[in-house]
Amino acid sequence: MSDHPVETRDLSKNFGKQPALCGVNLALPRGTVTGLLGRNGAGKTTLIKCLLGLLQPSVGESRVLGEPSTDLSPGVKARIGYVPQEPVIYPWMRVEQAIAYQGAFYPTWDRDLIQQLLRTFELYGRQRVGALSVGQLQKLAILLALASHPEVLLLDEPVAALDPEGRRDFLRMLVELVADGTRTVLLSTHITTDVERVCSHVAILKEGRLLRVDELDRLRDRIKELRLTATRPLPETAPELPGILHYSASGPSAVATVEGDVAAIAAQLGRDLHADVAVVGLSLEDLFLELHR
């Protein structure tokens, strides 16, 4: 059994002459929740669709549970849960019919869990799918993805249409789902606070390229803000020192975002610029913005 249920190798996807993914190498450890971050058009949805075999790569490959995404067997498909950005469920069905229809494809369909999720999401079996609100439809899609206890769960903006209470309920269930360490989740979202709440790892895409993929705590430890204060004006251009991502100065004060051995970089800047240096941690949102500068 692979320690990386979700993998890509040099994965690239072009739409005509427009690149959507460029040489993405990703390996998600079993039992982890990875937050997939990126601006609109960064390639998040394209990556998830390539993993599912819904899109064919232009170059490279992806694998899920040991099989090529382009040729997933029915057995492996039954072990994958997926929530698309815009759920497509037959509108003429009732909620209970949609559940029964999808359940026919999954040997691990959990009817007790379904009843629990129906209560939590305040959905009713006799409701028609076509009459559901956008948020209710999103809740139904989440229910259908979770009900089979998938080993791999691919979530494309799953809470975008949910209110704060619905988001909280979903995130709590997600934490419970992965508590036994056997399930692997890739969560695409714009909400960095949700990533901080539930994710152990983070992958950041920019214009189809993977900027960073790492444990969230390790990334926070490696990227910090340094605030410098001196008794004379500091240089307006960044010092020639590895690890400086961004630098700005105004008179005797300066701010630098650095990556790597933060303590060593801070000490070197303090010596070179004859300045006092304070190390400040960054929120994930600030970290994301700094990497996109």
Side-chain angles (χ1 to χ4, degrees):
M1 184 178 292
S2 172
D3 289 332
H4 300 97
V6 176
E7 297 179 278
T8 69
R9 296 172 187 168
D10 300 321
L11 183 67
S12 297
K13 175 63 180 177
N14 300 325
F15 294 102
K17 295 183 179 180
Q18 181 66 35
L21 294 174
C22 306
V24 173
N25 289 289
L26 189 64
L28 304 187
R30 184 174 301 279
T32 58
V33 182
T34 299
L36 180 61
L37 295 174
R39 292 173 174 163
N40 289 336
K44 302 188 299 298
T45 296
T46 300
L47 174 58
I48 289 175
K49 287 186 174 181
C50 284
L51 289 169
L52 290 163
L54 300 176
L55 289 175
Q56 299 287 314
S58 302
V59 179
E61 67 168 346
S62 60
R63 301 178 72 86
V64 178
L65 293 168
E67 292 188 358
S69 296
T70 52
D71 191 26
L72 295 174
S73 66
V76 163
K77 288 180 180 179
R79 295 157 62 194
I80 299 172
Y82 170 48
V83 178
Q85 194 169 21
E86 297 181 0
V88 179
I89 304 170
Y90 294 121
W92 53 265
M93 284 185 170
R94 297 189 186 277
V95 167
E96 61 191 8
Q97 291 173 319
I99 292 171
Y101 174 76
Q102 184 151 328
F105 297 95
Y106 293 90
T108 55
W109 207 239
D110 188 338
R111 290 176 176 81
D112 291 336
L113 176 58
I114 288 167
Q115 293 305 313
Q116 175 190 333
L117 294 176
L118 286 171
R119 290 191 297 270
T120 298
F121 287 150
E122 298 181 336
L123 294 172
Y124 305 96
R126 299 298 293 170
Q127 289 176 291
R128 288 203 178 275
V129 171
L132 297 178
S133 69
V134 175
Q136 288 174 317
L137 190 62
Q138 195 88 38
K139 290 177 180 179
L140 179 56
I142 292 169
L143 180 153
L144 294 174
L146 297 182
S148 63
H149 293 284
E151 292 179 44
V152 169
L153 188 56
L154 303 175
L155 305 168
D156 192 1
E157 299 284 353
V159 297
L162 300 186
D163 58 29
E165 185 177 0
R167 280 175 47 214
R168 183 185 61 202
D169 289 340
F170 167 70
L171 294 173
R172 185 185 68 249
M173 286 184 294
L174 187 60
V175 170
E176 293 172 355
L177 181 71
V178 301
D180 63 2
T182 63
R183 295 177 176 85
T184 305
V185 181
L186 182 62
L187 169 64
S188 169
T189 181
H190 286 94
I191 307 173
T192 55
T193 52
D194 287 350
V195 173
E196 289 178 309
R197 190 172 299 169
V198 302
C199 294
S200 56
H201 292 63
V202 64
I204 300 176
L205 278 173
K206 180 182 181 182
E207 298 176 354
R209 299 184 183 278
L210 197 60
L211 288 183
R212 301 289 188 281
V213 55
D214 208 339
E215 294 180 21
L216 178 55
D217 288 343
R218 185 171 184 272
L219 198 61
R220 281 171 164 164
D221 287 342
R222 287 182 52 80
I223 301 179
K224 300 281 189 182
E225 181 179 274
L226 305 182
R227 297 177 182 175
L228 294 82
T229 306
T231 57
R232 56 181 177 76
L234 292 170
E236 295 183 358
T237 57
E240 296 284 340
L241 190 64
I244 296 179
L245 301 178
H246 176 252
Y247 173 89
S248 63
S250 177
S253 300
V255 176
T257 305
V258 301
E259 180 176 13
D261 186 339
V262 174
I265 297 171
Q268 188 66 49
L269 278 175
R271 288 192 296 269
D272 292 349
L273 300 180
H274 305 288
D276 294 327
V277 182
V279 179
V280 179
L282 295 172
S283 69
L284 181 57
E285 181 176 346
D286 289 337
L287 190 152
F288 174 82
L289 293 173
E290 287 293 338
L291 290 175
H292 275 74
R293 280 181 182 269

